[in-house]
Each structure stands twice: as C-alpha cells, then as structure tokens.
Amino acid sequence: MCLAIPGRVIEIQTCAPPAPQMVVMDFLGVIRDVSTNFIDAVAVGDYLLVHAGCAIAKLAAEPAGAGGAEASALWEALINHAASS
Amino acid sequence: MPHLHKLIDRLTDLVGQHANLRFRFLEVCGTHTTSVVRHGLDTVFPDRLELISGPGCPVCVMPVGYIDQALRLAGIPGVIMTTFGDLMHVPGGGHRTLADPSAAGRGERVRVVYSPLDALKIAEENPRSEIVFLAVGFETTAPAVALALEKAEAAHIDNFSILPGHRLIPPVLRKMAQSGNLEVDGFLAPGHVSTIIGMEPYAFLPQEYAMPVVIGGFAPEEIIGALLLLVTLVANDHYQVINAYPKAVSPLGNMKAQGLVAKYFEPGAAFWRGLGEIEKSGLKLKEQYLNRNAAVRFKIPFRDVPDPAGCSCGSVLAGRLKPTDCPLFGLACRPEHPVGPCMVSSEGSCAAYYRYGKGGSRVVPDFVIPW
Ligand code: SF4
C-alpha cells in the first residue's frame, strides 16, 4: 500500500489558492489527476512519485540509463562513504 | 542489467571475505518484500546473508478490532464506507470481511477508492449520506488523508469522517530493537515512508542500538545496492543512517507534508497485530477535529479482539517467522481464502511468498497500475 508510482506531469491545472493544486499526469499511458499540494514549483515534464492521489516527492532526473556510468558512480561514492566514515 | 550483476558479484565477494560474520537484515517495508521475491533476488543472496520481513504492511498490522470497528460502522444506515482495496478482504472476528455482501447490513455497500480525495468527492456528491474513510497506512499515506481533511474543513463538507488507523514506522522499529530477541544486524528502511520523514527519525537506531540503517529504493539494483551498503557498514562496525534512495528522499523529508499531518494529527498509543500496543506509534486526530473521527461520531469504540486461530501473522510481522514456516501457508491459507491479512494484502509477506517465492507458485503477473 505504500506503493508509489512515478509519472510525468503533462498539464498544470490553474486554480487560485486555497483551491487544491492539481496537475494531470501520465503513468505509462494512463492519465490521471494528481494533487501537488506537497511539492514546490511543479513544471510540465517533471517526474513525480505519486501515492494515493498525492505527489509525495519530485524525482531527481535519472542518470543517463539506469545502469549507466553515473549510476555506478553514485553507488561507488555511497560504498566508499559506508566503508570509510 | 550488467550493473545489477556487478553489484550482486560484489555483494557475494564482500560477504565471502567476512566468513566469521552473519548478515541478517530486516526489510521493513512490504513493497521491498514483494520486490525481492518477485525478482527472485532471494535466490541469488550469498550464504550468511538473510533478509527477513518486518511489520511494513499497513493493512496487515491493523488489529482485528479495527476491522470489526469498520464492519460495525459499515452497517450503520446512512453510512457509505470507503476504503483502500487492500482492506476489503481482511477477515475480522468471525471471518467476516468488508467484501461480504452482508457487510453493510442496512447501510450502503462499501466502496473502494484509490485516494482519500476520491472518498471526499463521494461525500460532496452524497450530502445526505455520511461518508467514512478507513484511514490506514504509514507516514506515506497520512499526508493524503490530512489533505482530504483540509479540503473538507475549507469547503465545510461535514458528512466526511475517518476511522483513524495510521501507524508510524520509527516507534515500531524502536519497540523491535528494544525487545532484544530480534536477531538482526541492520535495517533496510522503507523508501516511500522516508520521502515523507527523511533520515533523522532513524538516527536512534545506530546511536542507541548500534544498528545501521540504509534507506533503499525498490528496483532490483537499488535493493542489492542497499544490501551492499548494509554489509559494508556491518563489516566495518560503522553505525549510521545512509540514504541510498536520494533520487526520491531528501535528508529532511517532505516538510510540507509533515506540516499538514501535524495540523490534524498527533502521535498516540496504538495497537499492532503481533506486537501489541506501542507508545506514540499511531496518529490520532487532534482534539479540535474529533468530530472527524467516525468512532467518536457514531460511538463505535475500539475493542481488542484475538487474532484468528492458527494464524501466525503476528510472528511474521514481528520478524520471528518466515511466511513459508507457517503451518497454514499454502494449505488452509491461500490468497483465495486467506486466514490472516498477510495473505490478503498485495504487500503482505505471505501473499508475496505465495505468489512469487520459493515455496510458492512463482507466477509473475504484469505490473498493474492501481487505478
Ligand atoms: S500463511 Fe496465512 S495463516 Fe499463516 S501467517 Fe500467513 S496469513 Fe497467517
């Protein structure tokens, strides 16, 4: 149930505060409205992690290819940190 | 996935270099459990590395008394009960579930929603009915419920209430660490709970109990990477919290979400299946919002009810028993007729092992988006 799903923002719905802040998101072709009250400065094209109709985190841009050099560098840095601190 | 293979090789090497050590970690989160067995990661773990399931399935940890309370509320005429789908098939006392056609009695049928905001919409559309939402879930889910309450207050939607059932992860980890009979060497902390709470709430584990904590994502590479970090920490006697899911988790968590949750809720003692009552481990509505508590509104108090006979969910959730070691697993207890909640929820360990695990059928359905 703590499953959260990443999706891409395709449209910002303009509502004046205190109205809910909503965006339209694309989840692998499934389109759904999502509340973004908990996320700062949402723009079209952002990837958000969504749980129970609410975005809970903005995802940092993926390093080029999940198995790419940047991903390796991240693990390398974390492992060095764990071994040496 | 060449990178995954490299990480698995490194994990195997590192564990091999420390022949005198055991690496036994608790995976706190049901989504981790499911991902591990679904991708068969448990089949490539080196010897002496073991991952055991913990209390991280929000539906499973709800005591039978909560389900009974929900059933009693659903039967009140004029009440429309709304819930996440996972709760529908969890047996209450006498094996009744919210999915039983008779569950609503003279009330309206129980409706499954994906979001508490959808439940609020039902309240707006049905002003003559009372809409009750079963507010279960960990820190990940509480912000969505707080947002529904915020909107209900702002728009004066007075026919909307919740049955508070949120549970908090750090207090249950403290209770498990304190118990002394939990033989683990570190924690794989839940990625999505951590997007909300950040890193600090886990700091007591390394500081007070010499237990390393690694916050992990859910892809195979992220899980193996997190385990590699845990093994590194244990092998070097380093006790700290590491965030291995920085793409979604920031050190302080989501402060806006924390702020709204704190506006409506405060921590209170709460019952957990298998673990009993734990101090400050649940969220209760603040005094000024008590009218949003369905138990108060309809005078249906919580009563503690014993767990179903023969079900070992409590021991599974407490990390003391593997699902496949439960005598009922796969025999009297299967997803089609579950005895306990761990076989019902998509995140329940028993369901995960039955569907994908060594003792189960290993039929992998396609990824399903939950709406
Ligand atoms: S297999 Fe069924 S009866 Fe056994 S612990 Fe799991 S849910 Fe309970």
Side-chain angles (χ1 to χ4, degrees), chain B residues 3 27 72 144 163 198 206 216 274 283-284 296-297 324 342 356 362 364:
Chain B
H3 197 239
E27 100 249 10
R72 276 184 282 154
L163 185 61
L283 289 178
K284 56 176 199 173
V296 173
R297 191 180 283 206
T324 44
C342 305
Y356 316 120
R362 279 220 187 259
V364 181

Side-chain angles (χ1 to χ4, degrees), chain B residues 30-236:
Chain B
T31 312
H32 275 145
T33 310
T34 310
S35 188
V36 165
V37 287
R38 176 179 179 156
H39 293 105
L41 298 181
D42 50 334
T43 61
V44 300
F45 286 166
D47 287 346
R48 286 183 295 106
L49 184 139
E50 196 186 350
L51 202 51
I52 55 175
S53 304
C57 160
V59 167
C60 307
V61 299
M62 296 315 290
V64 183
Y66 182 87
I67 308 293
D68 277 4
Q69 224 177 347
L71 282 162
R72 276 184 282 154
L73 282 165
I76 295 175
V79 166
I80 301 178
M81 178 61 76
T82 56
T83 176
F84 292 126
D86 266 9
L87 266 180
M88 284 295 275
H89 299 276
V90 176
H95 297 285
R96 286 178 68 221
T97 71
L98 288 164
D100 291 346
S102 64
R106 283 172 295 136
E108 289 206 41
R109 75 188 164 83
V110 179
R111 299 196 198 174
V112 171
V113 292
Y114 163 67
S115 164
L117 300 170
D118 297 339
L120 187 65
K121 215 175 281 165
I122 296 175
E124 260 182 305
E125 290 163 2
N126 296 274
R128 289 212 206 111
S129 298
E130 281 284 340
I131 283 52
V132 177
F133 177 69
L134 299 178
V136 300
F138 295 130
E139 288 90 334
T140 326
T141 314
V145 174
L147 187 58
L149 291 171
E150 175 89 343
K151 289 182 182 175
E153 288 287 306
H156 303 289
I157 305 172
D158 296 330
N159 60 333
F160 177 76
S161 60
I162 64 168
L163 185 61
H166 291 302
R167 296 291 183 270
L168 304 174
I169 289 292
V172 72
L173 296 186
R174 180 181 286 280
K175 167 96 179 196
M176 293 175 88
Q178 265 169 357
S179 79
N181 56 14
L182 179 74
E183 293 185 351
V184 302
D185 309 298
F187 292 94
L188 174 59
H192 292 147
V193 164
S194 306
T195 61
I196 304 297
I197 67 174
M199 297 169 71
E200 199 282 331
Y202 303 108
F204 71 93
L205 285 164
Q207 284 163 10
E208 296 173 35
Y209 299 96
M211 295 268 196
V213 177
V214 174
I215 297 168
F218 300 92
E221 174 180 307
E222 290 169 329
I223 292 174
I224 297 292
L227 291 174
L228 185 52
L229 290 170
L230 278 168
V231 170
T232 308
L233 290 170
V234 171
N236 290 286

Side-chain angles (χ1 to χ4, degrees), chain B residues 310-313 316 323 326 328-329 333 339-343 350:
Chain B
C311 173
S312 315
C313 267
V316 171
C326 168
L328 304 188
F329 179 87
C333 183
V339 175
C342 305
M343 191 57 97
C350 299

Side-chain angles (χ1 to χ4, degrees), chain A residues 1-5 20 27 30 32 35 37-40 49-54 56-60 62 66-67 71-72 74-76 78-79 81-85, chain B residues 3 10 31 59 84 114-115 118 136-138 140-141 143-144 147 151 192 195 221-222 225 228-229 232-233 236 238 240 242 247-248 254 256-257 260 347 369-371:
Chain A
M1 233 187 68
C2 278
L3 195 64
I5 308 239
F27 301 87
V30 181
R32 198 195 137 103
S35 153
N37 287 58
F38 304 127
I39 309 292
D40 286 324
L49 204 51
V50 177
H51 172 77
C54 290
I56 54 169
K58 196 192 282 192
L59 290 174
E62 275 289 335
S72 309
L74 172 73
W75 285 115
E76 225 44 64
L78 285 170
I79 292 163
H81 171 77
S84 60
S85 51
Chain B
H3 197 239
R10 266 179 93 163
T31 312
V59 167
F84 292 126
Y114 163 67
S115 164
D118 297 339
V136 300
F138 295 130
T140 326
T141 314
L147 187 58
K151 289 182 182 175
H192 292 147
T195 61
E221 174 180 307
E222 290 169 329
L228 185 52
L229 290 170
T232 308
L233 290 170
N236 290 286
H238 288 155
Q240 56 175 290
I242 290 187
K247 123 179 143 182
N254 186 328
K256 277 186 160 177
L260 197 62
E347 284 176 349
I369 292 181
W371 56 79

